Amino acid sequence: MASAAYAQSATNEIEELVVTAEKREQSLQDVPVAVSAFTDERREVVGINSVQDLTNFTPGLAYSTNNDRISMRGIGRFTNNRSSEGGVAMYNDGVYTSSVTAFARSTLFIDRTEALRGPQGTLYGRNSVGGALNIISKRPTDDLYAEIRGSVGNYAARAVEAAVSGPLIGNIRGRIAGSYDDRNKGYFTNLAGGPSEGGRGDQWQLEGQLDGSLGDGKLEWWLKADTAEWHNIGRGPGGRSTILYGRRDGSRLYNRSPGLTPSSQFGFTDDLPGNICRFCFSTDDSNYISLENNGYSLQATLHLDNVDVRYIGGYTYYEYRLQTDVDATNRTTPFLVTSAQTGTNIPGGSTLIYPRQNNQYLEEVWWFSNELNFASTHDGPVQWLVGLYQFREGSNYDATDARYPDDARYETPVGPDGRAGAPNPLRQYAFGGSDNVSESYATFAQVDWQATETLKVTAGLRYTYDRKRSFESARLLCFVSPSAGCPAVLQAFGRPIDVTNFVSASATTVQTDPSVVGPVYTDPTTGLRHRQLKNHWSGLTGALGVDWKPDADTLVYAKYTRGYKAGGFNSGQTTLPVFVTTKEETIDAYEIGAKKTFGGTFQANASAFWYDYQDIQVPLTGLDPVLGTNQTQFFNLPKARILGFELETIWQPIENLQILANYSYLDSKVREGCCFQDSNDPRGLLPGAQLAGNSAAALASPTAALNQDLDGARLPSSTPHRITLNGNYTWTLDPGSVTASLTYVWKDDTYYSLFNRYYSKAKAWDQVDARLLFTDKDDRFTVIGFMKNVFDSRGLAGIDGTRLNTAGPNEGFINQTLSYVPPRTYGVELQYRF
């Protein structure tokens, strides 16, 4: 029911927008799917130039910048593990991609962006239980065309872009485009005197295209190659956040270990950066991000009598590296700690601690896909499309590569028995990684039957087979004090203790997980514990719908859709947990919708939906009975119920004035979710905790972690209410046209954890953006002045909250990692066309 065509004509009539949401060219208002589509012109007017901007104008779409996860109508990704996929399928020119970065490219590269809301189980299939996103690149032109753009802004931002397009040889056309941008000042101030971070760094991209035809247009082909690199400091997915400590009553947590008095703070200063100012941090190591991306796409269409045969294929290589400061302080000088302070038996009674810690996160991924489909082109009441699909992805995934770079003692650890362990030249204290392969094969078909002049029935089926394998590697070292995953029973030997075999052997003595293949073993030369995983899943999905079109300006539809996402592994953990596999995730979705244009000047698109969401794949923390510590494991949350309503409108009451108004309501709640433990509230004492499934002995124990029922909890990133308003007016003058555009966005309170607690909730916020565009009468150049977040609001795009539950003076304090939307930014851009 929802689909808004954002294009504006010279009169006050709304222009028709053609999309390919159902893999055919159709008017957006004729597609019985909830779609938001944005042309390059509309993106320029309203100011959509980031993924966050796209979510502002797309009902139900959400993006969490701190963990690079996108969701649609409450369905998305709860882990970044490469052995588990997200719930929103993303396509770049019809080729599946697991990276959201391409959706932030500028209008120099992207011609149109389409967001299909709701399960797309037939035509898109792979992981599209929440919906699908597709970007369509600008194509080569028949005539010679060139454009150059440049912009400057605050925070020392600058960018330059250029494109050239036109005929080459015969009927072959070409296009090349490139961009470079950098920002030399970050949003966040480093109180330690180091470089600022957040939004800082440089990135470039280059793209080339060729297209042509053979046999008098019988065969059309198109080829694209692109490459991009980022070298950023706290910019992009996983970029800089701030850390805020405090109690719910507003009191602050001082920077000391739980239970310690001010005289034993290990030399920390009293207050923490996030308490001093909003965009503050204090570290010695930067959050450094590097990305390399190379991609190739090929499309070919053979036009036969009554049928088109189309091939879509692509290959992508993607390497993403993120360095984070784990200790989150600016301390580099070693300091002395005692047995009394740590509660452990330290030989000699005391030892030096080297505070610097960092983590080297790595995703090295490559994937390729092939699709062949056959679509009818004949006249008649029955139209059909059938196809075959193949996908393969390989990845090296190091989620944890945590190091003490200044502590040479980690190079020569000992085992629990005091014997020398394997060398550790990188001084790692925790490592968890995996090499993964995912394969997917599918066949699909969809039939449209025009039963009467006004009534059409659509039916589709898709069968998908998925198989995955993963080779895990893990190592864990402990020193002085017990930590997550480190048994408290071990005695210190004055050097780091390699507990990999102790922990993993205990956790995997009985291999009950169905995906484990062969024995678990430790490589004596590296100290890494290895395990092989292998499994497969399959699903039958599809859709059945009916739409009624009583006149050219009205469409009413109703449909049922079955969605499926393959199971996965929570591989690459530092302790190789017993349970690592989830089964497939499914959804039964019911939706009704209507699209109506009134007099050519007012367009309203509405949708209402109800979902039965089953076996939701989530990593949750629970008490491991073998280790006696909390471990993150992979679970299938039995059931959630999602319902909602979305409305998109365009009104052009007079010539040159356009008003856009979007509203979305989303109620996504767990309906079966027992029994899980909350590491931040192990006893279930906080408001909202529902104890369930506990033995009498556990309830009687003052220290035992207790199970909780998640029934009624909101799914993460599910914003209940959201409003977006934009008004833009164009004045036509002798020198050219001037367009003023103003956008207002309001988002309701949003939880970012399944345990809906106050420290994982982002409060409601709003934002105002403004743009002013001038285009000369010959359309040779455009000047754009822009300001984002005019009133510098404190909106949150993600929050990760933890609570100290250890007894002592700091019990109840919270630690919040806050990912703010960017502060007020402004600048000017010049576009010149040849």
Side-chain angles (χ1 to χ4, degrees):
M1 263 153 237
S3 151
Y6 293 151
Q8 184 176 7
S9 66
T11 69
N12 65 321
E13 284 198 5
I14 301 171
E15 282 187 348
E16 179 184 55
L17 177 59
V18 175
V19 297
T20 54
E22 292 194 315
K23 301 202 174 184
R24 299 175 184 266
E25 291 191 350
Q26 296 172 276
S27 169
L28 185 61
Q29 294 302 99
D30 293 336
V31 179
V33 178
V35 183
S36 296
F38 308 92
T39 64
D40 58 341
E41 294 94 343
R42 182 49 45 201
R43 288 183 61 198
E44 290 284 14
V45 171
V46 302
I48 299 176
N49 45 34
S50 70
V51 178
Q52 196 64 50
D53 293 333
L54 184 63
T55 66
N56 291 341
F57 284 88
T58 305
L61 184 65
Y63 178 63
S64 179
T65 56
N66 62 326
N67 51 31
D68 190 29
R69 297 175 189 171
I70 200 160
S71 63
M72 189 94 73
R73 294 178 172 176
I75 300 171
R77 188 172 194 164
F78 295 98
T79 174
N80 287 5
N81 198 302
R82 297 304 309 190
S83 293
S84 179
E85 293 85 8
V88 179
M90 296 178 289
Y91 291 85
N92 189 346
D93 289 306
V95 177
Y96 181 86
T97 176
S98 60
S99 171
V100 75
T101 57
F103 290 82
R105 295 195 300 172
S106 80
T107 58
L108 188 79
F109 296 90
I110 298 178
D111 183 63
R112 188 174 70 253
T113 304
E114 300 176 1
L116 289 69
R117 303 193 298 279
Q120 308 298 316
T122 301
L123 299 181
Y124 290 87
R126 178 174 172 78
N127 307 330
S128 60
V129 289
L133 298 175
N134 193 17
I135 54 177
I136 296 89
S137 297
K138 287 189 172 178
R139 301 303 170 92
T141 53
D142 291 326
D143 301 318
L144 182 61
Y145 161 84
E147 181 174 356
I148 187 169
R149 303 178 179 183
S151 65
V152 293
N154 62 333
Y155 294 99
R158 56 190 177 179
V160 62
E161 298 180 305
V164 179
S165 178
L168 297 177
I169 302 173
N171 62 6
I172 298 177
R173 306 179 304 172
R175 186 177 195 271
I176 187 169
S179 71
Y180 173 82
D181 76 85
D182 67 43
R183 179 177 280 118
N184 289 322
K185 183 179 179 182
Y187 308 139
F188 289 82
T189 299
N190 191 343
L191 299 180
S196 61
E197 297 187 22
R200 186 179 180 187
D202 63 87
Q203 51 195 51
W204 61 265
Q205 55 192 337
L206 183 65
E207 174 187 283
Q209 298 182 30
L210 292 172
D211 72 2
S213 62
L214 299 171
D216 296 327
K218 283 283 188 180
L219 176 64
E220 297 178 329
W221 58 271
W222 173 78
L223 175 67
K224 181 181 78 169
D226 62 85
T227 183
E229 283 192 20
W230 291 4
H231 303 282
N232 296 336
I233 303 176
R235 178 185 186 185
R240 168 58 61 191
S241 303
T242 191
I243 298 177
L244 178 68
Y245 286 68
R247 270 204 181 98
R248 193 176 188 180
D249 61 10
S251 57
R252 292 178 176 177
L253 169 67
Y254 295 116
N255 202 350
R256 61 180 75 118
S257 296
L260 299 181
T261 62
S263 61
S264 55
Q265 294 178 32
F266 300 149
F268 283 107
T269 56
D270 264 358
D271 219 343
L272 289 165
N275 291 334
I276 297 172
C277 65
R278 175 172 41 140
F279 288 100
C280 285
F281 69 102
S282 182
T283 67
D284 51 289
D285 289 327
S286 297
N287 272 20
Y288 180 76
I289 298 169
S290 68
L291 178 145
E292 178 185 348
N293 189 96
N294 300 299
Y296 307 89
S297 303
L298 173 64
Q299 295 182 10
T301 303
L302 179 62
H303 301 287
L304 302 176
D305 293 340
N306 299 323
V307 64
D308 281 352
V309 182
R310 192 181 191 202
Y311 168 80
I312 305 171
Y315 169 85
T316 299
Y317 171 84
Y318 174 97
E319 181 182 285
Y320 174 80
R321 295 179 180 269
L322 168 64
Q323 173 186 279
T324 54
D325 189 307
V326 178
D327 61 285
T329 72
N330 62 353
R331 300 197 62 194
T332 58
T333 305
F335 56 91
L336 196 70
V337 296
T338 66
S339 297
Q341 289 175 318
T342 63
T344 59
N345 180 22
I346 301 175
S350 64
T351 189
L352 281 176
I353 293 294
Y354 293 79
R356 280 188 65 210
Q357 299 170 258
N358 58 52
N359 187 68
Q360 308 294 327
Y361 178 93
L362 169 66
E363 287 185 26
E364 186 182 16
V365 193
W366 55 96
W367 64 83
F368 64 88
S369 64
N370 296 279
E371 179 179 327
L372 186 65
N373 65 57
F374 305 81
S376 63
T377 57
H378 58 78
D379 295 329
V382 178
Q383 299 293 323
W384 49 267
L385 186 149
V386 298
L388 301 169
Y389 181 78
Q390 171 271 334
F391 175 86
R392 180 184 174 94
E393 176 184 282
S395 65
N396 296 325
Y397 173 68
D398 296 346
T400 303
D401 183 356
R403 308 175 184 183
Y404 278 102
D406 298 335
D407 194 343
R409 293 172 296 184
Y410 275 86
E411 295 183 13
T412 55
V414 298
D417 57 1
R419 297 180 182 179
N424 185 29
L426 297 179
R427 303 179 180 180
Q428 298 162 315
Y429 65 89
F431 180 85
S434 58
D435 297 333
N436 312 287
V437 175
S438 298
E439 296 176 275
S440 183
Y441 304 90
T443 180
F444 58 90
Q446 179 168 300
V447 177
D448 296 324
W449 174 41
Q450 192 70 48
T452 69
E453 188 174 330
T454 60
L455 197 66
K456 184 174 73 174
V457 178
T458 298
L461 282 176
R462 185 183 187 104
Y463 174 76
T464 303
Y465 173 82
D466 293 282
R467 64 186 181 194
K468 300 179 182 182
R469 63 179 185 268
S470 180
F471 181 72
E472 296 182 283
S473 303
R475 194 177 191 187
L476 184 64
L477 279 68
C478 297
F479 187 47
V480 178
S481 61
S483 59
C486 292
V489 298
L490 296 177
Q491 179 182 6
F493 290 93
R495 280 189 291 168
I497 305 170
D498 189 338
V499 297
T500 307
N501 289 347
F502 182 92
V503 174
S504 295
S506 300
T508 56
T509 301
V510 180
Q511 295 296 329
T512 57
D513 192 287
S515 299
V516 175
V517 179
V520 181
Y521 67 95
T522 300
D523 186 334
T525 62
T526 63
L528 292 174
R529 187 86 167 158
H530 296 298
R531 182 170 64 178
Q532 181 79 34
L533 305 172
K534 186 177 181 181
N535 215 324
H536 67 273
W537 302 263
S538 62
L540 185 65
T541 59
L544 179 63
V546 58
D547 56 89
W548 177 56
K549 194 171 178 62
D551 56 65
D553 295 325
T554 306
L555 174 68
V556 180
Y557 66 89
K559 64 177 182 178
Y560 161 78
T561 308
R562 172 76 170 180
Y564 152 88
K565 187 176 83 171
F569 310 132
N570 193 28
S571 57
Q573 302 299 304
T574 59
T575 57
L576 302 187
V578 175
F579 302 107
V580 71
T581 307
T582 58
K583 60 182 179 180
E584 62 271 13
E585 186 177 286
T586 60
I587 188 170
D588 292 298
Y590 304 86
E591 184 168 344
I592 58 173
K595 302 180 181 183
K596 176 68 176 178
T597 303
F598 300 88
T601 62
F602 181 76
Q603 182 176 289
N605 299 325
S607 61
F609 52 90
W610 185 92
Y611 293 170
D612 183 11
Y613 191 21
Q614 303 156 39
D615 296 320
I616 308 156
Q617 301 165 9
V618 293
L620 287 171
T621 301
L623 188 68
D624 190 304
V626 177
L627 299 178
T629 58
N630 284 306
Q631 301 293 317
T632 298
Q633 299 181 356
F634 228 12
F635 297 94
N636 284 103
L637 199 63
K639 183 179 290 189
R641 186 267 298 139
I642 302 175
L643 59 89
F645 172 77
E646 297 163 348
L647 176 67
E648 296 178 283
T649 65
I650 305 175
W651 184 31
Q652 297 179 183
I654 60 174
E655 186 175 347
N656 297 329
L657 174 63
Q658 186 177 74
I659 300 172
L660 313 176
N662 297 343
Y663 167 75
S664 62
Y665 167 73
L666 183 62
D667 181 14
S668 61
K669 292 183 178 178
V670 175
R671 279 294 171 253
E672 291 182 26
C674 192
C675 300
F676 301 103
Q677 296 172 3
D678 182 1
S679 59
N680 295 314
D681 182 25
R683 296 290 295 169
L685 302 177
L686 293 178
Q690 304 176 81
L691 298 180
N694 296 290
S695 65
L699 291 171
S701 169
T703 59
L706 300 178
N707 293 322
Q708 299 182 32
D709 191 344
L710 290 172
D711 185 25
R714 284 193 220 164
L715 295 179
S717 299
S718 299
T719 303
H721 300 276
R722 189 167 66 186
I723 298 171
T724 301
L725 302 173
N726 173 269
N728 59 85
Y729 186 82
T730 301
W731 293 269
T732 303
L733 309 173
D734 288 339
S737 63
V738 177
T739 299
S741 176
L742 192 67
T743 297
Y744 173 78
V745 178
W746 179 84
K747 294 186 178 181
D748 203 356
D749 295 346
T750 304
Y751 286 104
Y752 287 90
S753 169
L754 272 169
F755 291 96
N756 296 172
R757 303 295 182 261
Y758 62 90
Y759 43 81
S760 63
K761 182 174 74 171
K763 295 181 179 179
W765 60 276
D766 59 4
Q767 178 174 316
V768 174
D769 300 335
R771 295 172 72 81
L772 188 66
L773 303 87
F774 171 77
T775 302
D776 73 302
K777 62 181 179 180
D778 298 321
D779 195 29
R780 295 296 297 273
F781 69 88
T782 300
V783 180
I784 304 173
F786 59 88
M787 182 177 287
K788 295 265 191 184
N789 197 359
V790 173
F791 299 106
D792 203 21
S793 67
R794 299 189 176 190
L796 286 174
I799 182 171
D800 183 14
T802 58
R803 177 180 179 270
L804 297 179
N805 54 67
T806 306
N810 287 330
E811 182 179 8
F813 280 100
I814 58 171
N815 172 335
Q816 292 177 305
T817 302
L818 308 174
S819 294
Y820 288 107
V821 298
R824 181 190 300 114
T825 56
Y826 51 85
V828 62
E829 178 182 351
L830 172 64
Q831 304 175 356
Y832 190 84
R833 293 169 284 276
F834 300 89

